[in-house]
């Protein structure tokens, strides 16, 4: 092992190399890559440079294999450069940075090859992901599943402006409630965002806020050179000047260089003997080096700060940095998307003794011996075990989820019943389910499950109502074995928790099957986090209920219109809207298997659709008559493929009603009444507009790329027997576009009923009539699409 001094020298040399490689990667993509054609693909040299020392300290020395890191998105080139030095990233991918299948603009678990722990991109989310991943690690530990694996630290490299994102504060509060441990956030305090320079004294706000939430705060402001200068005669005055210098001025002087610093120091401190001597003893270059030696750019200071942590309390490091440090645009307020010119790059290359044509050589231009650098990298604790992506066995899922049917039920009730049945049993499946809800556990019907399986906390806590013998339907005991994670009302936290739980197989090597419940409209409140979770390929199930205008007495503010379209459009999420509980039982069983299947975006089963992913159940509180029927394999397949004929159309069908979800009773009734006046009518039960649509587009893609292919999708097969002039009426308690596309599948005329405006309260009947989802509107629409005599029967007003 090298001694401390030579270790620091090696680390600093590697950091210089990381700065070079990350900048060269960006430069190559913009100026050298063939076909660049002057088209700038961008990259963030300034944001990257800011973190070079900190990340080099972490990856080359401080991190252990079990630690997990979320890297500030725009420091992606630094991450890739470090992985390149470790041998986990290829030159080819770096040369193709930001290109098709090249190294990603922002680190991506699913698209990058270099062992990304957490994807980032939408600022704020990766930060919270580390916090929730730490809670999930606690969950896995408490359930006795960590085995011999040491606990890792969950580390986030955070931009200072990234801290503006509200979801970070929401997460902080939740972390405090759950006794957060093993989490480090390192704030890259370069005092610049994309547009602006941050407010003076922001660090004080950060500091008091973190301390308030029980975090330790470590401020790393001055590097070693600065500390030495402060110890010289006059040093105190220099320190005072630095501390008082406004952020914008400091940044501007860093951009202008040593002479500008000298002028300002002279003008502002005046001739004061000691401090003047201190300044004058340094050349312009030396003065700039001193003034740029903030803590975040000083290897010794960063290593010392990290290594001093000998506890598992959460820590926030505020590391002072200069955006773009070491590059010609350092400190400039416009540098966020700044790129170096070829001339600047050429000058910098020569200054570093990098020979033309050797830009990608790992150790080119470094004074150290190559073998020594190689040995150092091989021994870096983080790299010792190679890649760290884990896996876990698939948990068996029974073909049928059991429940005791009632004649009338809502899908939300059914959801509660199905989970209650699982909770009563002792299957492996049940033991791996973890539920969470943002303060709507009871109102989404999770109560029975929680009564049986308990709430999770690292320490036991009895339900006081129970111990005081106050009657209550619920037993709210907390214990390390509990399987429900109680959350506050922040839907962003819910989905980031899903993201963390749903990656447990990969992060902890232990599979969890997370289920989130929330009110359907509030999906939109957590949508970016939901999207983020899907982007990372986390696996979870969302039960969203109540939904639509069907939740009528709940009020207009809670109605959801757009969520079925989100269900269709959200990648990585299979959306279902069943009408009946037997359908839901099939979908949930399928869902637990779907959550565990490997998948690729190209589509990986015969239908061309993705084989695995997360699941969204749009449920309802409306009590409806349940069908009494046998669940045949055909029916089961129809339900999971997205649709089946509830009333099969004959060869002369004039009109078909296709419905999804809670409006089932209206569709059924309309078909009954229509049947009196129209020769032949069909009723299509749609359980998943999303799966139908995905299958349809996938099939066309297969046929286009493989001429002669006979592959047809489920919806094409279902609609194939319909005569050309048959009309289709679709109806859903959601945006009509959800099903409106069905007319294009085989060129049928179609009228799409649904909801386009919200806010009206009333009974379900009132609202269905108001929005045109009621039986008579369905009949009117069908009549309009068919020839022949007027429909004789209508529903009588009650
Ligand atoms: C949710 C979201 N909004 C906006 C952006 C665009 N964006 C990328 S970086 C950035 C500024 C980041 O500033 P800071 O966090 O201080 O990082 P620095 O560039 O200084 O390292 C913005 C607004 C984004 N990536 N995500
Ligand atoms: Mg910043």
């Amino acid at each position: 092992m090298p001694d401390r001094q030579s270790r620091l020298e090696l680390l600093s040399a590697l950091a210089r190399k990381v700065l070079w490689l990350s900048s060269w990667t960006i430069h190559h993509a913009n100026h050298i890559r063939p076909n660049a054609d002057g088209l700038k693909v961008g990259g963030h040299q300034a944001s990257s440079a800011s973190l070079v020392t900190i990340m080099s300290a972490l990856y080359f020395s401080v991190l252990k294999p079990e630690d997990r890191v979320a890297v500030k998105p725009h420091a992606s080139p630094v991450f890739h450069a470090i992985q390149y030095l470790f041998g986990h990233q290829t030159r080819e991918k770096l040369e193709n940075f930001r290109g098709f299948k090249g190294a990603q603009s922002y680190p991506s678990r699913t698209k990058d090859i270099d062992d990304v722990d957490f994807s980032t991109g939408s600022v704020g989310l990766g930060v919270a992901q580390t916090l929730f991943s730490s809670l999930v690690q606690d969950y896995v530990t408490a359930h006795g599943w960590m085995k011999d694996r040491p606990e890792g630290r969950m580390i986030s490299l955070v931009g200072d402006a990234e801290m503006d994102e509200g979801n970070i504060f929401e997460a902080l509060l939740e972390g405090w409630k759950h006794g957060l441990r093993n989490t480090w956030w390192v704030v890259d305090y370069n005092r610049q965002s994309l547009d602006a320079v941050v407010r003076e004294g922001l660090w004080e706000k950060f500091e008091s806020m973190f301390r308030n939430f029980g975090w330790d705060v470590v401020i790393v402001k001055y590097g070693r050179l600065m500390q030495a200068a402060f110890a010289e005669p006059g040093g105190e005055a220099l320190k005072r000047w630095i501390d008082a210098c406004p952020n914008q001025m400091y940044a501007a002087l860093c951009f202008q260089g040593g002479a500008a610093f000298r002028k300002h120091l002279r003008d502002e401190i005046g001739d004061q003997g000691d401090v003047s001597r201190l300044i004058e003893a340094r050349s312009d270059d030396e003065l700039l080096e001193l003034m740029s030696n903030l803590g975040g750019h000083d290897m010794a200071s960063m290593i010392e700060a990290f290594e001093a942590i000998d506890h598992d309390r959460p820590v926030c490091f505020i590391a002072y940095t200069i955006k773009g440090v070491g590059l010609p645009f350092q400190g400039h307020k416009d540098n966020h998307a700044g790129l170096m010119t070829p001339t600047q790059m050429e000058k910098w290359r020569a200054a570093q003794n990098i020979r033309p044509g050797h830009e990608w050589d790992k150790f080119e231009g470094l004074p150290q011996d190559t073998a020594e650098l190689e040995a150092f990298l091989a021994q870096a604790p983080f790299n010792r075990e190679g890649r760290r992506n884990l896996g876990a066995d698939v948990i068996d899922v029974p073909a049928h989820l059991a429940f005791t049917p009632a004649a009338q039920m809502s899908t939300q009730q059914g959801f509660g019943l199905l989970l209650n049945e699982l909770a009563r049993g002792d299957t492996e499946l049940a033991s791996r389910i973890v539920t969470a809800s943002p303060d709507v556990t009871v109102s989404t019907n999770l109560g029975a499950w929680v009564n049986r399986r308990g709430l999770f906390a690292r320490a036991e806590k009895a339900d006081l109502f129970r111990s005081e013998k106050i009657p209550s339907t619920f037993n709210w005991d907390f214990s390390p074995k509990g399987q429900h994670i109680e959350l506050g009302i922040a839907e962003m936290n819910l989905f980031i928790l899903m993201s963390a739980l749903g990656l447990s197989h990969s992060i902890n090597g232990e599979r969890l099957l997370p289920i989130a419940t929330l009110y359907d409209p509030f999906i939109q409140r957590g949508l970016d986090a939901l999207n983020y979770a899907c982007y990372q390929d986390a696996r979870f199930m969302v039960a969203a209920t109540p939904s639509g205008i069907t939740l009528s007495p709940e009020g207009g503010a809670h109605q959801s219109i757009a969520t079925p379209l989100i269900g269709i459009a959200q990648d990585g999420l299979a959306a279902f809207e069943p009408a009946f509980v037997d359908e839901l039982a099939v979908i949930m069983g399928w869902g637990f298997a779907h959550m565990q299947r490997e998948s690729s975006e190209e589509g990986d089963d015969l239908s061309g659709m993705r084989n695995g992913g997360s699941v969204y159940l749009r449920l309802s509180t409306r009590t409806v008559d349940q069908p009494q029927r046998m669940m045949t394999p055909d029916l089961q397949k129809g339900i999971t493929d997205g649709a089946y004929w509830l009333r099969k159309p004959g060869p002369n069908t004039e009109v078909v009603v296709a419905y999804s979800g809670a409006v089932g009773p209206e569709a059924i009734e309309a078909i009954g009444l229509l049947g009196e006046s129209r020769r032949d009518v069909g009723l299509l039960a749609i359980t998943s507009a999303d799966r139908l649509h995905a299958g349809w587009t996938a099939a066309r893609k297969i046929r286009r790329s493989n001429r002669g292919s006979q592959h047809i999708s489920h919806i094409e097969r279902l609609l194939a027997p319909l005569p050309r002039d048959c009309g289709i009426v679709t109806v859903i308690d959601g945006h009509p576009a959800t099903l409106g596309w069905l007319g294009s599948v085989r060129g049928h005329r179609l009228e799409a009923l649904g909801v386009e405006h919200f806010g009206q309260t009333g009974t379900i009947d009132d609202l269905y009539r108001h929005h045109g989802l009621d039986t008579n509107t369905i009949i009117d629409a069908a009549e309009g699409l068919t020839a022949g005599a007027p429909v004789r029967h209508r529903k009588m007003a009650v």
Side-chain angles (χ1 to χ4, degrees):
M1 272 303 269
D3 62 27
R4 189 175 170 80
Q5 190 48 38
S6 43
R7 192 170 133 237
L8 284 176
E9 277 163 22
L10 282 165
L11 284 169
S12 301
L14 288 169
R16 281 202 302 283
K17 185 45 73 179
V18 168
L19 180 61
W20 165 261
L21 283 170
S22 56
S23 303
W24 181 250
T25 298
I26 297 169
H27 185 75
H28 185 277
N30 285 283
H31 293 286
I32 300 177
R33 190 154 79 209
N35 307 325
D37 279 345
L39 193 77
K40 297 284 176 276
V41 299
H44 295 101
Q45 289 184 330
S47 300
S48 292
S50 221
L51 270 174
V52 161
T53 303
I54 294 169
M55 284 175 65
S56 300
L58 284 170
Y59 280 93
F60 296 135
S61 180
V62 176
L63 292 183
K64 306 209 176 75
E66 59 272 20
D67 295 335
R68 301 285 179 171
V69 190
V71 175
K72 180 183 80 170
H74 27 302
S76 177
V78 177
F79 174 78
H80 293 314
I82 288 172
Q83 294 290 345
Y84 177 68
L85 289 175
F86 277 143
H88 302 318
Q89 181 56 283
T90 65
R91 173 172 166 180
E92 188 194 354
K93 295 256 182 206
L94 290 186
E95 284 184 337
N96 197 16
F97 175 62
R98 292 187 159 220
F100 187 59
K101 310 246 168 172
Q104 294 293 297
S105 328
Y106 310 123
S108 169
R109 281 182 64 82
T110 52
K111 306 285 188 281
D112 274 318
I113 56 164
D114 49 358
D115 206 21
V116 175
D117 291 325
F118 302 118
S119 304
T120 52
S122 177
V123 294
L125 300 181
V127 185
Q129 171 85 31
T130 56
L131 183 151
F132 285 104
S133 290
S134 176
L135 298 183
V136 171
Q137 179 173 265
D138 282 346
Y139 183 95
V140 171
T141 305
H143 284 77
W145 292 325
M146 276 302 263
K147 307 191 187 94
D148 300 331
R149 271 179 25 81
E151 288 180 345
R153 291 164 299 195
M154 304 295 166
I155 299 172
S156 177
L157 300 163
V158 192
D160 45 4
E162 186 167 13
M163 290 290 300
D164 287 337
E165 287 289 359
N167 81 279
I168 296 182
F169 303 88
E170 297 176 359
L172 269 179
L173 187 55
E174 206 57 55
W176 171 78
K177 292 186 209 164
H178 291 270
L180 180 70
R181 310 181 300 143
N182 292 317
T183 306
W184 288 6
W185 288 355
V186 186
V187 180
D188 175 4
Y189 197 54
N190 60 25
R191 291 150 290 147
Q192 279 185 257
S193 62
L194 200 163
D195 291 338
V197 174
V198 305
R199 292 281 179 281
E200 298 304 322
L202 185 62
W203 64 274
E204 286 170 304
K205 305 294 166 203
F206 289 164
E207 183 181 17
S208 51
M209 181 180 68
F210 277 96
R211 289 204 195 282
N212 248 328
F213 286 117
W215 289 54
D216 283 18
V217 177
V218 177
I219 297 174
V220 195
K221 182 162 183 183
Y222 316 107
R224 281 289 185 278
L225 284 181
M226 280 193 176
Q227 289 171 25
F230 298 158
E232 289 177 30
E236 266 306 308
L238 178 70
K239 181 165 182 291
R240 272 198 304 279
W241 183 88
I242 292 176
D243 287 348
C245 184
N247 290 333
Q248 194 156 3
M249 179 56 73
Y250 207 88
L253 293 175
C254 286
F255 173 71
Q256 289 172 297
F261 263 117
R262 187 183 309 279
K263 180 169 183 317
H264 267 264
L265 285 164
R266 267 196 202 135
D267 291 352
E268 285 163 33
I269 301 183
D271 186 6
Q272 289 196 15
D274 284 347
V275 65
S276 302
R277 271 192 294 282
L278 189 160
I279 295 161
E280 298 316 326
R282 286 163 169 87
S283 68
D284 284 353
D285 285 351
E286 285 167 345
L287 190 58
L288 181 62
E289 195 188 353
L290 170 65
M291 301 305 269
S292 316
N293 182 240
L294 294 175
H297 302 314
D298 189 69
M299 189 57 80
S301 304
M302 285 319 305
I303 293 281
E304 186 180 287
F306 290 137
E307 288 184 345
I309 307 300
D310 57 359
H311 54 77
D312 66 3
R313 289 191 302 279
V315 186
C316 172
F317 298 87
I318 300 175
Y320 275 70
T321 54
I322 297 162
K323 192 157 168 173
V325 72
L327 304 177
F329 40 60
Q330 72 170 9
H332 197 291
K333 70 181 172 55
D334 304 341
N335 66 9
H336 188 77
L339 296 172
M340 284 166 76
T341 63
T343 317
Q344 288 171 329
M345 202 66 192
E346 181 56 24
K347 201 168 140 208
W348 191 37
R349 180 193 61 67
Q352 293 191 78
N353 297 324
I354 292 172
R355 292 164 294 165
H358 292 262
E359 292 87 353
W360 293 109
D361 293 4
K362 287 186 180 173
F363 307 119
E364 175 77 3
L366 296 185
Q368 283 86 354
D369 185 47
T370 299
E372 191 185 8
L373 287 161
E374 265 167 1
F376 186 77
L377 283 175
Q379 283 165 13
F382 180 76
N383 196 33
R384 264 200 311 255
E385 295 172 16
R387 286 167 196 243
R388 301 146 320 111
N389 235 326
L390 307 173
D393 291 341
V394 170
I395 311 293
D396 271 348
V397 182
H400 272 276
L401 291 190
F403 70 104
T404 315
Q408 296 192 313
M409 269 193 287
S410 69
T411 46
Q412 170 173 318
Q413 253 177 315
F415 169 74
L417 268 179
L418 284 157
L419 274 182
N420 187 34
E421 283 301 324
L422 278 168
R424 273 158 35 117
D426 60 354
T427 56
E428 177 74 354
L429 170 64
S431 76
R432 295 287 168 155
I433 290 175
V434 196
T435 54
S437 187
D439 206 28
V440 289
T441 305
V442 174
S443 46
T444 55
N445 249 291
L446 265 183
W449 159 267
V450 178
N451 274 346
R452 290 189 190 278
R453 293 283 167 156
L455 288 123
F456 171 72
R458 273 194 291 123
E460 305 266 351
K461 199 172 84 197
D463 183 344
L464 271 181
F465 275 75
R466 204 158 65 108
S467 38
E468 292 292 317
K469 301 203 167 42
I470 303 171
S472 158
T473 329
F474 302 105
N475 159 21
W476 247 221
D477 281 336
F478 286 85
S479 87
K481 293 280 164 274
Q483 285 181 249
H484 177 71
I485 299 179
E486 189 173 65
L487 289 179
I489 328 172
E491 286 74 15
M492 291 293 283
N493 280 342
L494 176 74
F495 288 122
I496 301 174
L497 175 63
M498 286 300 117
S499 178
L501 289 165
L503 286 175
S504 178
H505 54 284
S506 168
I507 301 287
N508 302 310
E510 289 293 330
R511 192 177 300 279
L512 299 175
L513 295 167
I515 303 179
T517 69
L518 80 166
Y519 295 175
D520 193 54
F522 304 130
I523 282 192
Q524 291 164 155
R525 182 66 166 261
L527 191 53
D528 199 27
L530 170 63
N531 180 53
Y532 173 64
C534 291
Y535 173 62
Q536 299 207 81
D537 203 21
R539 301 302 182 82
F540 52 92
M541 186 180 279
V542 181
T545 175
S547 60
I549 54 169
T550 305
L551 54 69
S552 53
E554 276 289 315
H558 281 17
Q559 294 167 356
S560 59
I561 294 176
T563 47
L565 294 174
I566 291 171
I568 290 184
Q570 180 59 57
D571 191 18
L573 191 69
F576 291 86
E577 183 159 0
F580 305 116
V581 177
D582 62 350
E583 295 171 349
L584 180 63
V586 169
I587 292 164
M588 283 178 70
W590 177 91
F592 288 129
H594 188 68
M595 283 157 68
Q596 302 188 66
R597 277 188 216 113
E598 296 281 329
S599 176
S600 81
E601 74 180 280
E602 272 79 27
D604 28 29
D605 65 7
L606 292 177
S607 69
M609 292 198 283
R610 285 174 73 148
N611 224 353
S614 291
V615 180
Y616 162 31
L617 311 171
R618 189 173 189 252
L619 305 182
S620 171
T621 37
R622 185 183 190 191
T623 302
V624 299
D625 291 339
Q626 298 293 314
Q628 307 300 315
R629 57 184 172 182
M630 288 285 294
M631 187 49 68
T632 62
D634 265 2
L635 179 55
Q636 197 158 333
K637 179 142 179 25
I639 290 168
T640 55
D641 283 351
Y644 63 91
W645 286 113
L646 202 53
R647 175 160 165 175
K648 218 173 171 131
N652 302 313
T653 301
E654 288 172 71
V655 69
V656 159
V657 174
Y659 76 92
S660 196
V663 291
E666 279 66 26
I668 291 168
E669 192 175 30
I671 280 294
L673 292 165
L674 276 166
E676 310 270 332
S677 319
R678 290 294 179 269
R679 233 179 331 162
D680 210 346
V681 290
L683 181 60
L684 188 64
I686 296 184
T687 46
S688 173
D690 177 33
R691 301 261 306 154
L692 286 185
H693 191 274
W696 180 46
T697 45
R700 283 176 296 165
K701 197 168 161 199
I702 291 174
R703 294 199 294 265
R704 266 198 306 276
S705 60
N706 175 13
R707 305 228 174 252
S709 162
Q710 302 291 311
H711 176 75
I712 66 164
S713 60
H714 186 56
I715 189 63
E716 288 167 311
R717 195 171 305 114
L718 286 169
L719 299 186
L722 298 184
R724 183 118 197 98
D725 55 358
C726 173
I728 301 177
V729 179
T730 63
V731 54
I732 183 170
D733 178 359
H735 197 277
T738 312
L739 298 176
W741 56 274
L742 283 175
S744 302
V745 175
R746 300 197 82 93
H748 291 107
R749 280 172 313 130
L750 179 142
E751 178 154 356
L753 305 179
V755 183
E756 286 172 295
H757 307 287
F758 67 83
Q760 207 49 265
T761 33
T763 63
I764 289 179
D765 277 349
D766 291 336
L767 293 183
Y768 280 12
R769 249 196 321 276
H770 176 73
H771 291 282
L773 306 182
D774 59 317
T775 306
N776 286 343
T777 307
I778 298 173
I779 293 173
D780 290 346
E783 188 174 46
L785 289 172
T786 50
V791 175
R792 280 194 302 274
H793 301 281
R794 288 275 190 298
K795 185 178 178 179
M796 304 296 282
V798 273

